[in-house]
Amino acid sequence: MASLLFLTLFALALRCTATLGIPASDATVDVKAFNVANITTTLPGVLIQPVVSEHNTISLPLHAFLIEHTTSKKRFMFDLGMRTDPLNLAPSVSSFFQSGVYSVNAPFKGITELLEEGGIPLESIETVIWSHSHFDHISDMSLWPNTTNLVIGPGTNRSLYPEFPDSALQASDFAGHDVIELNFNNTNITFGGLPAIDYFGDGSFYLLNTPGHLIGHITGLARVTPSTYNQSSTFIVLGADTSHHPGQLRPRPKFQATYPCPAHLLTQSRTSVSTDYFWSPGSDVGVFDVLSREQPLLSIPDLPNSGDADPVTNRVSLDKIADFDANNDFFVILAHDESLIDVLPYFPASLSTWKEDGIKDKVLWGFLDEKNPAFRFGPSA
Ligand SMILES: [Zn+2]
């Protein structure tokens, strides 16, 4: 009897062991991903540094996520990708498409069309959450029914063109929708140093305050498997634009300890990574050593025209997201991670079984493979 009581207490203690401060819960959501479009910019240096001379553009997939609460079946979106008619963006943004600084693989189907074609009526989606208000995440809200609510991060700049000529937003981005602005001052939950809001109040989905890229930038944290007495939950972290390339997130020492670099990439990267641009204590000229690299290969630019509104703050947000990335119960997905596009199972497939399916292990180090579209550390193979 005493041993049974001990076992029960031990199991309860295990259940309460919080990963990165996240309490156990049986409540989950299901996550499905779309890659809406790929945009290319001729100014990679505002997003990442250094820029190796052979890689003077960067291609950015635009990921959007359909999320469904497992028990209530409530649906919502986290990010939408971009609208199909970029010339109808506010002039401060459409001018980049006119000048060719941005280009898109036109024509493409917008998220509303992709959802409807996939048998997901827009009316069935209760809410759209913008990770932040940049054009490549907000699509065209005028295509959504008025019953769809819009959730935005704290302090999001809601000034509109034409009243504010430089504004990236216009009236149609909000018209007809109930807009809910998050307030992290009302929460005392913190995970891995990031303030969190429990979206459904049951631990299935959280929004994390990750400022820096833009005022009001938020990250999604989806619990995709329940906690059991002997197993912790698994999560998907929707990291949006906390970084624009997986090489800004990886590798870091904690990450390398959990996920050792595959042997073939250790060997390949010795000569594929240019030591004119990248260095580490174990490197020699012409021979790069990734094992002794103690910081990510790419950094967040600190230039006056940086793609991040506040690079210093964004680095802190990214440092915190990196702790999730180094934990084998969390799968961090960046909105523009080009290394995912050939590997990630897209809608209608679910990402919720990512751990048992080994998806994270397949994608983590992909950016370092010279055959991967995200490789930009030396001349490609
Ligand atoms: Zn973006």
Side-chain angles (χ1 to χ4, degrees), residues 39 47 60-62 79 131-132 134-137 213 217 240-241 243-244 335-336:
I39 57 175
L47 303 176
L60 306 168
L62 310 181
D79 277 347
S131 66
H132 61 296
H134 278 161
F135 78 94
D136 52 323
H137 298 258
H213 172 60
H217 183 283
D241 286 12
S243 64
H244 289 88
H336 304 306

Side-chain angles (χ1 to χ4, degrees), residues 36 41 57 59-60 75 86 99 101 112 144 198 213 218 223 253 266 304 328 330 339 350:
V36 176
T41 171
T57 63
S59 176
L60 306 168
R75 287 173 173 158
S99 67
V101 168
T112 47
W144 288 81
D198 188 348
H213 172 60
I218 54 174
R223 185 191 306 265
L266 271 182
N328 59 18
F330 297 83
S339 73
S350 167

Side-chain angles (χ1 to χ4, degrees), residues 80-112:
L80 302 173
M82 72 175 280
R83 62 192 297 156
T84 56
D85 51 349
L87 297 184
N88 288 331
L89 285 158
S92 67
V93 190
S94 65
S95 60
F96 286 108
F97 285 92
Q98 275 161 337
S99 67
V101 168
Y102 287 130
S103 56
V104 64
N105 62 315
F108 65 94
K109 290 176 182 172
I111 188 66
T112 47

Side-chain angles (χ1 to χ4, degrees), residues 33-174:
F34 295 84
N35 179 14
V36 176
N38 284 277
I39 57 175
T40 299
T41 171
T42 56
L43 294 176
V46 305
L47 303 176
I48 56 165
Q49 285 290 338
V51 176
V52 173
S53 58
E54 288 86 352
H55 300 274
N56 53 12
T57 63
I58 188 167
S59 176
L60 306 168
L62 310 181
H63 284 102
F65 301 91
L66 170 66
I67 303 171
E68 185 172 293
H69 188 256
T70 307
T71 49
S72 71
K73 304 297 177 194
K74 284 182 178 177
R75 287 173 173 158
F76 62 101
M77 295 294 298
F78 186 86
D79 277 347
L80 302 173
M82 72 175 280
R83 62 192 297 156
T84 56
D85 51 349
L87 297 184
N88 288 331
L89 285 158
S92 67
V93 190
S94 65
S95 60
F96 286 108
F97 285 92
Q98 275 161 337
S99 67
V101 168
Y102 287 130
S103 56
V104 64
N105 62 315
F108 65 94
K109 290 176 182 172
I111 188 66
T112 47
E113 197 179 344
L114 293 172
L115 286 164
E116 285 178 326
E117 273 187 9
I120 309 288
L122 300 184
E123 292 73 18
S124 74
I125 297 177
E126 207 170 65
T127 301
V128 163
I129 301 173
W130 290 352
S131 66
H132 61 296
S133 59
H134 278 161
F135 78 94
D136 52 323
H137 298 258
I138 68 172
S139 191
D140 183 351
M141 287 302 295
S142 73
L143 300 176
W144 288 81
N146 287 350
T147 48
T148 307
N149 302 319
L150 174 60
V151 169
I152 58 175
T156 297
N157 183 350
R158 294 201 225 180
S159 61
L160 302 177
Y161 175 85
E163 188 186 350
F164 295 87
D166 293 335
S167 174
L169 297 176
Q170 31 195 352
S172 61
D173 291 319
F174 295 112

